[in-house]
Amino acid sequence: MVKVITYGTYDLLHHGHIRLLERAKALGDYLIVGVTADDFDISRGKINVQQPLIERIEAVRQTGLADEIIVEEYEGQKIDDIRRYEVDIFTVGSDWTGKFDYLREYCQVIYLPRTEGISSSGIRHDRRETSMGLVGSSAYLNKVARESAYVNGIRLSGLCTDDVSQLAEEVRSLPLVTDDYQRLLDVSDAVFIYSQPQLHFAQIQAALTRGKHVFCESPLALSERECRQLYALAQEKGCILAESLRTAYSMAYHRLQLLVKSGRIGDVVSVDATCTSLLDASKLTEKQRANLWNTISEWGPTAMLPVFQILGTQYADIQIVSHIVRERPLYDTFTKISFLYPHAVASIKVGSGVKSEGELVVSGTRGYIYVPAPWWKMDYFEVRYENPAENKRCFYQLDGEGIRYALANFLKMIQTGKPSLYISQDVSAAICGVMEAYGRGEHLVRI
Ligand code: C2G
């Protein structure tokens, strides 16, 4: 019996895939098809896959061409599989010609002519592109513009800003650059908002009112009530409203949460997150200084994310200690917030005028998780125990600081109509609640 093996993502199965499988089957008597796992695709840069693994496996099974289906999960697995299943022939489409010659050591390698004129990325792209407008003046929008190129199905429609001085040429040369927000909405299906926090509520409300989807940097609003009002409006309008906090969409951060929730470090007693980045405001123009976010807005939501997602949003008490250098608008250079829970405590430290170690530590009754700085762009963390021999190191792919994964998830939410599971409305509202308390000077001690 001649055994043949082939591998693929098989996203949005099309006739190009099926023709490949038919010809692969014809090469022998028994065809094994390796379907790539979601993580494996992300690790090799395929972040736009629409269907989860289970759906892609089922689509291949439905063709009736595979005698056996396995999952491809790691780099180099092909060698293991060829030896384990005693494969005679490895085959794959000619777009991979030369890439798998190393397998000739284990079996025959045949590249089959690729079917021209069809591809999963083409189907994704044709699935009604989403035009997305950028809102704000921060240099962060330059990264968003660059990262959006990795997400097929998103097209940048334009920019609404009152100051282009920090924006790169590729942003300034978008089809529409205006300070008229309604004009940007005219040409957009969705907006990415990274403007001043105090503008978020009105900008989100205006976009949703016009049936536009919104991806906005946290905080969505400066009060819990307004935040929930926005989510209610999004639901009423059938639009997506999601937080664009890139950390929430990174594989490493998502897996960290799953490990914690699975009890691997026992009961969590403390979560400590620090985010600092020194800012030299003296180099900024007057306009840039006026558009600066205060530190609690810039870093607070990111630092609060693991606190609220691991310990929940129902803290019993909160204490805020802040170094405030300006009242109107409020500007802090360093803020520490402590949250008291019935059986746990959490603290965040954020600073733009103070430098500290940007680490995240989740402390439990059996062990703890340590994420080195800059934890908010994590691609690695350690699970540590009393006996170091039990320690576990976890590595994950993180390209482009994670912004492309956030954008890919935003697009998926728009296409499926299902809001994000990455940041719940309660977490989003809790963040806004802290911003509200801070703004009112509640629970606040000045240093
Ligand atoms: N294919 C084809 N014609 C197309 C599209 C795809 O012959 N128009 C072939 C590919 O060459 C591949 C298989 O169909 O052999 C599955 O393609 P994809 O799902 O795009 O996955 P890909 O990552 O290209 O698969 O490690 C090997 C790779 O996983 C190969």
Side-chain angles (χ1 to χ4, degrees), residues 7-10 17 44 46 78 92-93 95-96 114-115 118:
Y7 295 81
T9 304
Y10 295 102
H17 294 142
R44 63 190 190 125
K46 290 186 89 167
K78 294 180 174 71
V92 75
D95 43 321
W96 294 89
R114 178 185 171 84
T115 303
I118 181 115

Side-chain angles (χ1 to χ4, degrees), residues 6-11 14 16-17 20 23 36 40-41 44 46 72 78 90 92-96 100 112-116 118-120:
T6 188
Y7 295 81
T9 304
Y10 295 102
D11 189 33
H14 54 68
H17 294 142
L20 186 287
R23 287 172 291 153
T36 47
F40 183 52
D41 270 328
R44 63 190 190 125
K46 290 186 89 167
E72 184 180 28
K78 294 180 174 71
F90 165 86
V92 75
S94 55
D95 43 321
W96 294 89
F100 298 106
L112 295 169
R114 178 185 171 84
T115 303
E116 293 314 321
I118 181 115
S119 67
S120 306

Side-chain angles (χ1 to χ4, degrees), residues 86-101:
E86 296 175 337
V87 166
D88 303 292
I89 299 171
F90 165 86
T91 187
V92 75
S94 55
D95 43 321
W96 294 89
T97 298
K99 295 284 192 322
F100 298 106
D101 290 354

Side-chain angles (χ1 to χ4, degrees), residues 44 64 74 81 87 104 123 205 208 232 244 263 273 278 292 320 327 381 389 404 422 437 447:
R44 63 190 190 125
Y74 57 89
D81 292 341
V87 166
R104 295 195 196 288
I123 294 170
Q205 190 178 50
L208 294 174
S244 61
L278 277 185
L292 263 186
I320 306 173
E327 296 302 328
F381 60 84
R404 65 187 70 173
Y422 286 91
I447 52 172

